Amino acid sequence: MIARLLSRRYRSAAPFAATTADGVPLVGARLGRGPAALVLCHGFMGWHRKARIVSFAERLAERFLVFVFDLRGHGGSAGVCTYGDREYLDVDAIVGLARREAGLPVATLGASMGGIAVIRQAALGEPPDAVMAVSTPARWEGHATAAVRRVTRMTATPSGRRMMRALGFRLTDTWGSPEDPERLVEKVAPTPLVIVHGRDDHYFDEENAWRLYARAGEPKRLMLASRFGHAEDGFTPAFADLAARRLLEILPT
């Protein structure tokens, strides 16, 4: 399994487990301390012990109590990946856990598929106190990029899903046609929303960020970067520090 072979340990973290409202067991790690909790959600083909995620979570843990975990169908969590559809239940379970255990304001930060999940959770679940969606598509279809075409080949065929399972990622073979993220994002308000996108994103172009921002209610903020890449590409120490500052500005004290 690729996740097991390429995983990295946290310097100091406590493991946790949770179960979603639809019965999917999840695993993750809790680390750091601060005036607020942060639920960190990886993207497609991520997991909480992936090296880039570990580095990003550890940097954020200098300012937050971070809850980082494997979304369904990824890493050590059970279930099958639904590309952001049912993953909002995963986020909801960890937001609830963070509230019970920390007794602090809770923010969510998700990238790509994780960005879809945090928007859907804030719109459909028990909302957190702030949301940051990074590299998040505004709609499910209509992305004419080579990167999206490659992912579609891996996810839309039985042979592609078998290959993904061999790599350690378990994918659904059904699709329920959930609402596009841009159709739900207005329901995030009045929870503060920060949308982050790279102008050089090779999966979802800049228009996606503008579409989400246009439909979102206040309070909202749009952050565009000329050189960011897609999702984990931009998970640098500098971005961790910037994301922490922006979230702490809008979280209740």
Side-chain angles (χ1 to χ4, degrees), residues 26 30-31 35-36 46 76 78-79 118 128 136 143 152 162 173 178 180 188 196 200 217 223-224 232 252-253:
L26 307 173
R30 180 194 308 101
L31 61 154
V118 298
T136 305
H143 307 291
T152 300
R162 284 194 298 270
D173 58 1
D180 285 325
V188 173
V196 181
D200 59 344
M223 296 169 55
L224 297 173
E232 294 171 27
T253 56

Side-chain angles (χ1 to χ4, degrees), residues 13-241:
F16 69 77
T19 301
T20 67
D22 62 342
V24 177
L26 307 173
V27 298
R30 180 194 308 101
L31 61 154
R33 59 184 301 175
L38 176 64
V39 175
L40 179 59
C41 307
H42 62 74
F44 182 62
M45 294 183 68
W47 63 98
H48 83 282
R49 287 181 55 194
K50 192 175 184 179
R52 184 63 70 90
I53 302 294
V54 171
S55 297
F56 191 61
E58 288 183 333
R59 187 74 172 210
L60 288 167
E62 296 175 9
R63 296 171 175 82
F64 292 96
L65 174 59
V66 176
F67 289 76
V68 56
F69 69 103
D70 294 337
L71 290 163
R72 62 182 62 201
H74 290 72
S77 292
V80 294
C81 170
T82 66
Y83 314 114
D85 177 6
R86 303 292 287 175
E87 280 75 6
Y88 82 92
L89 295 171
D90 306 355
V91 184
D92 207 48
I94 308 306
V95 168
L97 177 70
R99 287 207 189 280
R100 293 191 301 274
E101 293 197 351
L104 297 169
V106 178
T108 57
L109 190 162
S112 194
M113 183 183 75
I116 295 173
V118 298
I119 287 175
R120 287 178 62 75
Q121 188 274 335
L124 300 173
E126 187 63 33
D129 298 291
V131 179
M132 180 173 283
V134 180
S135 303
T136 305
R139 56 202 187 281
W140 296 108
E141 298 179 349
H143 307 291
T145 63
V148 169
R149 287 195 295 271
R150 286 194 299 270
V151 171
T152 300
R153 285 196 295 270
M154 291 189 294
T155 60
T157 65
S159 60
R161 290 190 291 272
R162 284 194 298 270
M163 181 188 73
M164 292 296 291
R165 179 175 284 275
L167 293 174
F169 306 106
R170 303 168 305 282
L171 312 182
T172 184
D173 58 1
T174 62
W175 181 243
S177 298
E179 308 95 329
D180 285 325
E182 67 179 354
R183 297 291 180 184
L184 278 180
V185 71
E186 65 183 18
K187 296 183 180 180
V188 173
T191 301
L193 172 65
V194 181
I195 297 166
V196 181
H197 212 89
R199 287 193 158 110
D200 59 344
D201 192 309
H202 51 290
Y203 280 87
F204 310 116
D205 61 29
E206 181 185 336
E207 179 196 1
N208 286 272
W210 284 107
R211 290 173 74 116
L212 289 171
Y213 183 74
R215 288 179 175 266
E218 296 287 354
K220 60 184 177 180
R221 180 168 187 161
L222 177 61
M223 296 169 55
L224 297 173
S226 297
R227 298 183 65 182
F228 189 89
H230 178 73
E232 294 171 27
D233 297 339
F235 279 11
T236 63
F239 176 60
D241 294 344

